[in-house]
Amino acid sequence: MKKMWFNFKIVWLLAVAITLVGAGEICHSNDLKGLEGFRVGIRSDPSGRTETWTGRGCCSWEGVTCDNATGRVTEINLPGLFTSDDVPVQTSMSGVLSPSITLLTSLQAIDLSGLIDLTGEIPPTIGSHLPRLRKLALSGNKFKGTLPESIGKMSELQELYLSENSFTGSIPGSIGNLQGLRMLDLHSNQLSGAVPESITKLSNLERLELQNNFLTGSIPGSIGELKCLKELDLSNNSLSGRIPSSITRLKIVSIIYLDNNHLVGEIPRLGQMPSLAFLRLNDNNLTGKISYSFGFLSSLQRVSLANNALHGLIPSSIGNLRSLTELYLHNNRLSGQLPASMSQLANLLIFSVSYNLIEGPLPHQMAALTNLQTLDLSFNQLNFSNIPKWLLKLPSLSRIFLAGCNIKGGLTEDVLTTPSPLQELDLSANHLTGSIPGWIGKLTELYSLNLSLNGLVDTIPGSIMDLTSLGVLDLHSNKLAGSLEWGYKGRSLTFLDLSDNSFTGGIEEIGKGTMQVDIQYINLSHNMIKGRLPDSIGRLESLKSLDLSYNSLDSELPAALGNASSMENLKLQRNHFTGKIPDEFLKFKNLRDLDLSSNSLEGRIPYGEPLIDFPRGSYLGNKDLCGAPLEPCRP
Ligand SMILES: *[C@@H]1O[C@H](CO)[C@@H](O)[C@H](O)[C@H]1NC(C)=O
Ligand SMILES: *[C@@H]1O[C@H](CO)[C@@H](O)[C@H](O)[C@H]1NC(C)=O
Ligand SMILES: *[C@@H]1O[C@H](CO)[C@@H](O)[C@H](O)[C@H]1NC(C)=O
Ligand SMILES: *[C@@H]1O[C@H](CO)[C@@H](O)[C@H](O)[C@H]1NC(C)=O
Ligand SMILES: *[C@@H]1O[C@H](CO)[C@@H](O)[C@H](O)[C@H]1NC(C)=O
Ligand SMILES: *[C@@H]1O[C@H](CO)[C@@H](O)[C@H](O)[C@H]1NC(C)=O
Ligand SMILES: *[C@@H]1O[C@H](CO)[C@@H](O)[C@H](O)[C@H]1NC(C)=O
């Protein structure tokens, strides 16, 4: 025991000695020159890491790693997010990446990701000079210029992270030479042109992220060759054409056991891409159908094909995707009925198929989706009449979107009996009639309620004040009347749209009492609201949009409104507001949209930004307003 301890001490001492020698060692002159050049490019480094870069022993500098056999620099690690004494630190760095970095010819890894303000270009010769590079991470900066063709010469490259910069031009075809590449992340740049077909030669690729660029053309036909791919994200580009059949082509054709012509069993069928778990092709211009063999991508967990122009049926094979947790198909032209096999998606949490041409009836087998939390069927050709009873019995469902589903009659009390408390309910654009029932106040976990565009009448029941979690209330375009319940107790309301109804009063309470001061959007336009806009409105400091247009408000404009300094959009036109525009309106530094037209305002428009920047139309139709941008006032 004692001897071991002694040995350990010697080893430790030796290690310290080696480190000390290393620190004193003068590093390779090209490496030193390269690092000094890099440092000159950095204008500021609040983390202080490059402050240790003095003397000639560059192997001991912070963020620099050397090979202790050759003494050459192998790594530069200065990411924006790092840990110092076990505490995570987020820092930035400004300046320009010096091309002298290409002098460090033994580099295997460069990590300058997340430094926010670093700019410059990738040196065009990087590939010829840094052939040993395994990892290049420049994400989350302000790099610009094109991706150099020479990248294809870095034959050892395994990880390339260039996302969230301002790179332009096309993806160089030479990228297909990087046979060892596992991670290719170019998302959120301004890359254009086609996805090079050569990318399909990257047989070790596990993650391909090209989303949020301006890529055009079709998805490379043989993308299905990428057998190791786990994550494929091409979303938010301008890709067109079909989803390549190679993605879904069968590798092992299923064997079906038949016994006296009865199907008795089937071995699982494997698609070409056995590891693909995340597939995002949404927000493109893809056409064609979702092929039957899509159901063979058996590892899929999260899929979005939303916001394209796909048509045809949802294939029944979708039921094979047993690992699927999220499926987004909204805003396409998918038609026909939902396949009954969907009931096999036992892990499905979110299903969105709104804005398609799906027809009813829904397969009642869907009652087996016991984990489903969010279901959006809005705006299809569903002709429900009532909310299907089995749907309200789904044990995990708490977010229901059934807008534009032709639901008729009164709001049924069944929505109180859902096994999971409702958090979001959207029954907008249906044919709901009658009044909003008092029991609505029992939906105590409700965060968002959208009953807009229906035929609801009467007043809003006082029990709505019991919805203490309510953040979003949209009741616009109904026939609701009476006074507004401004004694509203909900502390979480951020969005309120009661426009286009027949409300008549209650505006005096706005901003008073415990009404939420975090509200950002209020729209009460197109009602018949009379009365005085109170000073208390100035308490709503988070308010960004206030629309009271097309009412009968007849007070002066409260000066205190200027205290609502987050205001971006203020619409008060078509009322009977009198008096002068308060000087306090000059405090609206973020105002982008203003309409005070068609009131009874008079006097000089307070001179200054932002009020002089709006067009004349923002002020026309008043009693006697003058001053820029209208005519000068009479002396
Ligand atoms: C280089 O140094 C590191 C840490 O000091 C040590 O773990 C490693 O074994 C050394 N490599 C060689 C080749 O000496
Ligand atoms: C789509 O990509 C463009 C270009 O990078 C970006 O400006 C935009 O914010 C992206 N949209 C979304 C929803 O991410
Ligand atoms: C999508 O494709 C259609 C027809 O090819 C074209 O008219 C349209 O402009 C494209 N839209 C986008 C956003 O690329
Ligand atoms: C919707 O269903 C109702 C009755 O359930 C029926 O009268 C009506 O014709 C249907 N409408 C459409 C467009 O299918
Ligand atoms: C409520 O539904 C309508 C119609 O479906 C929609 O236009 C509106 O954006 C929804 N409101 C909110 C707050 O999402
Ligand atoms: C307020 O609602 C009206 C009618 O529903 C609509 O036309 C208007 O655009 C809305 N205002 C804002 C600022 O969203
Ligand atoms: C508006 O803000 C000023 C200064 O912060 C304050 O004195 C005044 O009382 C506020 N007015 C209202 C009505 O909140």
Side-chain angles (χ1 to χ4, degrees):
M1 193 66 198
K2 218 170 190 175
K3 198 158 174 215
M4 250 175 75
W5 170 239
F6 181 64
N7 280 346
F8 174 76
K9 253 170 59 183
I10 289 191
V11 170
W12 187 78
L13 281 173
L14 269 173
V16 169
I18 289 171
T19 314
L20 286 175
V21 170
E25 225 171 309
I26 296 171
C27 61
H28 191 281
S29 62
N30 276 357
D31 290 350
L32 189 62
K33 229 191 271 173
L35 289 173
E36 282 173 347
F38 171 79
R39 190 173 166 193
V40 169
I42 304 305
R43 255 189 297 114
S44 90
D45 171 17
S47 75
R49 285 175 294 181
T50 52
E51 269 164 34
T52 66
W53 290 23
T54 54
R56 316 199 62 193
C58 69
C59 291
S60 65
W61 293 356
E62 216 172 321
V64 177
T65 308
C66 291
D67 180 322
N68 34 13
T70 64
R72 295 297 306 264
V73 173
T74 53
E75 294 186 16
I76 300 177
N77 274 308
L78 295 169
L81 184 63
F82 63 106
T83 50
S84 172
D85 299 328
D86 287 336
V87 181
V89 181
Q90 168 69 60
T91 185
S92 62
M93 211 184 252
S94 66
V96 178
L97 178 69
S98 163
S100 74
I101 202 143
T102 55
L103 289 169
L104 296 137
T105 51
S106 292
L107 271 181
Q108 294 174 13
I110 301 177
D111 188 348
L112 299 172
S113 56
L115 290 166
I116 304 166
D117 267 335
L118 212 51
T119 179
E121 304 196 0
I122 300 181
T125 57
I126 193 165
S128 333
H129 289 116
L130 306 182
R132 306 214 176 131
L133 215 54
R134 288 161 178 272
K135 172 178 172 182
L136 178 59
L138 302 177
S139 300
N141 281 292
K142 296 199 166 63
F143 288 110
K144 49 193 200 299
T146 56
L147 308 183
E149 191 71 33
S150 78
I151 271 184
K153 292 191 182 150
M154 299 193 285
S155 54
E156 311 274 310
L157 205 63
Q158 295 179 5
E159 299 170 63
L160 182 59
Y161 305 107
L162 304 177
S163 61
E164 297 170 282
N165 280 293
S166 302
F167 290 115
T168 50
S170 52
I171 302 173
S174 63
I175 216 151
N177 300 336
L178 304 176
Q179 281 306 305
L181 204 61
R182 291 185 295 108
M183 310 288 178
L184 177 55
D185 185 355
L186 308 179
H187 84 259
S188 304
N189 279 290
Q190 291 146 35
L191 298 169
S192 54
V195 180
E197 185 74 35
S198 64
I199 228 162
T200 64
K201 290 192 293 184
L202 300 173
S203 53
N204 289 302
L205 205 59
E206 291 168 21
R207 212 166 94 195
L208 177 57
E209 295 197 50
L210 303 179
Q211 71 271 25
N212 304 341
N213 278 292
F214 303 126
L215 299 169
T216 51
S218 48
I219 301 175
S222 30
I223 196 143
E225 301 294 323
L226 299 175
K227 304 266 185 317
C228 298
L229 212 56
K230 296 184 179 135
E231 221 176 307
L232 174 59
D233 196 337
L234 304 177
S235 64
N236 189 22
N237 280 288
S238 296
L239 299 170
S240 53
R242 289 158 183 273
I243 300 174
S245 58
S246 72
I247 287 193
T248 55
R249 193 185 302 135
L250 281 188
K251 199 164 113 198
I252 301 173
V253 179
S254 69
I255 300 170
I256 299 172
Y257 300 96
L258 288 175
D259 182 18
N260 282 339
N261 284 338
H262 286 288
L263 186 70
V264 293
E266 216 177 327
I267 64 156
R269 307 176 256 199
L270 287 178
Q272 285 260 104
M273 303 174 89
S275 309
L276 194 65
F278 301 94
L279 176 63
R280 287 167 50 91
L281 303 178
N282 52 289
D283 294 273
N284 279 293
N285 209 355
L286 300 172
T287 50
K289 296 182 179 176
I290 304 176
S291 71
Y292 184 79
S293 50
F294 196 82
F296 305 140
L297 292 168
S298 53
S299 299
L300 282 181
Q301 292 172 21
R302 295 163 65 185
V303 175
S304 182
L305 306 177
N307 301 323
N308 279 294
L310 301 169
H311 71 271
L313 304 177
I314 298 175
S316 59
S317 61
I318 203 110
N320 295 347
L321 303 177
R322 304 291 160 86
S323 306
L324 208 57
T325 56
E326 295 175 27
L327 179 59
Y328 302 95
L329 300 175
H330 54 265
N331 207 10
N332 279 288
R333 288 175 213 142
L334 300 168
S335 56
Q337 293 180 354
L338 294 180
S341 64
M342 283 208 61
S343 60
Q344 295 160 27
L345 302 176
N347 293 302
L348 199 61
L349 305 174
I350 304 179
F351 178 45
S352 167
V353 71
S354 59
Y355 293 98
N356 277 288
L357 304 166
I358 301 295
E359 288 161 20
L362 292 185
H364 58 88
Q365 288 91 335
M366 282 177 75
L369 295 174
T370 51
N371 283 305
L372 195 66
Q373 296 171 355
T374 303
L375 177 62
D376 191 348
L377 301 171
S378 301
F379 298 107
N380 279 286
Q381 309 279 308
L382 294 165
N383 190 7
F384 273 153
S385 297
N386 293 302
I387 307 177
K389 293 247 183 290
W390 60 263
L391 196 151
L392 293 173
K393 290 188 181 129
L394 285 173
S396 307
L397 198 64
S398 60
R399 286 180 284 269
I400 303 177
F401 300 86
L402 298 174
C405 285
N406 234 336
I407 298 169
K408 296 182 184 70
L411 204 53
T412 54
E413 208 162 342
D414 322 3
V415 301
L416 284 183
T417 61
T418 57
S420 287
L422 277 186
Q423 292 172 8
E424 295 189 49
L425 180 63
D426 183 351
L427 298 176
S428 62
N430 279 296
H431 306 287
L432 295 178
T433 49
S435 50
I436 300 177
W439 51 253
I440 199 95
K442 293 188 189 159
L443 295 168
T444 48
E445 308 224 349
L446 201 62
Y447 164 74
S448 171
L449 179 64
N450 192 345
L451 301 176
S452 65
L453 296 157
N454 277 293
L456 297 167
V457 296
D458 288 350
T459 55
I460 299 178
S463 63
I464 203 141
M465 295 179 216
D466 299 339
L467 300 176
T468 49
S469 306
L470 198 65
V472 176
L473 180 61
D474 190 346
L475 301 176
H476 84 262
S477 300
N478 277 287
K479 294 176 193 134
L480 298 165
S483 176
L484 301 164
E485 292 284 357
W486 286 118
Y488 186 76
K489 281 189 287 185
R491 295 181 178 276
S492 46
L493 204 66
T494 59
F495 182 103
L496 179 68
D497 191 347
L498 302 178
S499 65
D500 190 20
N501 277 291
S502 303
F503 292 108
T504 48
I507 191 103
E508 289 82 3
E509 301 303 310
I510 195 168
K512 283 204 186 135
T514 52
M515 174 152 171
Q516 179 48 264
V517 292
D518 286 340
I519 195 157
Q520 296 183 8
Y521 180 97
I522 297 179
N523 193 344
L524 305 178
S525 74
H526 295 272
N527 277 290
M528 298 180 290
I529 303 169
K530 293 192 270 293
R532 201 176 64 83
L533 190 60
D535 283 349
S536 49
I537 187 134
R539 289 181 58 221
L540 306 180
E541 288 174 8
S542 304
L543 198 58
K544 290 188 173 146
S545 179
L546 177 65
D547 192 343
L548 304 176
S549 62
Y550 295 87
N551 277 294
S552 301
L553 298 166
D554 56 8
S555 62
E556 296 200 344
L557 294 174
L561 186 54
N563 281 9
S565 54
S566 307
M567 195 74 75
E568 293 172 5
N569 192 358
L570 181 59
K571 306 267 185 175
L572 303 176
Q573 76 271 24
R574 302 259 174 184
N575 277 287
H576 311 299
F577 285 115
T578 56
K580 298 178 67 173
I581 300 175
D583 287 341
E584 283 76 3
F585 278 24
L586 293 171
K587 293 200 288 188
F588 291 133
K589 292 296 170 230
N590 300 313
L591 201 63
R592 285 196 300 246
D593 235 326
L594 174 71
D595 199 341
L596 301 177
S597 66
S598 301
N599 277 291
S600 300
L601 299 168
E602 57 193 324
R604 182 188 296 276
I605 297 171
Y607 187 79
E609 285 176 346
L611 299 185
I612 51 168
D613 296 335
F614 293 103
R616 292 163 53 82
S618 298
Y619 301 100
L620 290 178
N622 275 289
K623 191 171 163 197
D624 193 13
L625 277 179
C626 61
L630 300 181
E631 287 72 27
C633 298
R634 284 183 299 271

